[in-house]
Amino acid sequence: MELGAKIRQLRTERSLSQEALAHALGVSRQAVTKWEAGAALPSTANLLALCDLFGVPMSELTGSQEPSARRMPRSSLYGAVLLGVSAGLAVLTVPAWIFQSAKNSPDNLIGMADEATGIWVTGAPVLLYVLTGLAVLCAAAAVFLLFFQKRKK
């Protein structure tokens, strides 16, 4: 249904004359006549006022279908989140590994005393291994969810 016919239909359903509708919108009766005949189109402000007056959404008045929001499949959403988590973990672990490898201690050294009361033990800390493992697991899960999971249609 065209815009003019829809305006006419909504106006007559509400028992409004062209004059009453024009008065409510602050336009001339001739403007309403032109809209209904298809000789002219209402301005955006008048379209919004018509929607408000008739209590209908813009898509119903204009007859256009608003594009429905395409929803991302859950597996893709979870994959994207996991990919972000793995990237964050990589940002944490790569500098830690670089710092750890730059300590310049001999390979056969298990530990040494740095002070009279403290002991400094070389080698990668367990937390570094855990963070690296988590980054790899998150990345693998993200790749699985994003690329190998069958998409539902």
Side-chain angles (χ1 to χ4, degrees):
M1 180 179 292
E2 292 194 20
L3 179 61
K6 190 66 178 178
I7 293 172
R8 181 181 300 118
Q9 176 191 356
L10 291 170
R11 178 181 60 79
T12 55
E13 284 175 0
R14 286 155 180 78
S15 302
L16 291 172
S17 65
Q18 285 184 343
E19 186 71 35
L21 179 60
H23 181 69
L25 297 175
V27 296
S28 67
R29 184 195 54 76
Q30 289 84 359
V32 174
T33 303
K34 287 179 182 179
W35 297 343
E36 290 182 357
L41 293 173
S43 67
T44 305
N46 285 331
L47 279 173
L48 292 172
L50 284 165
C51 291
D52 188 44
L53 182 71
F54 293 141
V56 296
M58 181 72 74
S59 61
E60 183 180 334
L61 184 64
T62 59
S64 65
Q65 295 296 324
E66 295 177 12
S68 61
R70 289 184 49 190
R71 299 185 83 189
M72 182 183 287
R74 282 191 191 262
S75 61
S76 295
L77 180 63
Y78 293 150
V81 169
L82 282 173
L83 197 60
V85 168
S86 65
L89 288 171
V91 166
L92 291 175
T93 56
V94 168
W97 277 110
I98 292 170
F99 176 75
Q100 182 65 30
S101 65
K103 282 191 174 178
N104 293 332
S105 59
D107 291 337
N108 60 357
L109 180 67
I110 295 174
M112 63 180 224
D114 60 344
E115 291 182 25
T117 59
I119 296 177
W120 176 57
V121 178
T122 62
V126 174
L127 180 60
L128 193 52
Y129 288 120
V130 171
L131 285 176
T132 303
L134 281 174
V136 169
L137 284 174
C138 286
V143 166
F144 174 76
L145 287 173
L146 289 173
F147 298 111
F148 298 115
Q149 186 82 12
K150 290 183 180 177
R151 303 214 191 276
K152 297 177 183 174
K153 293 186 178 183

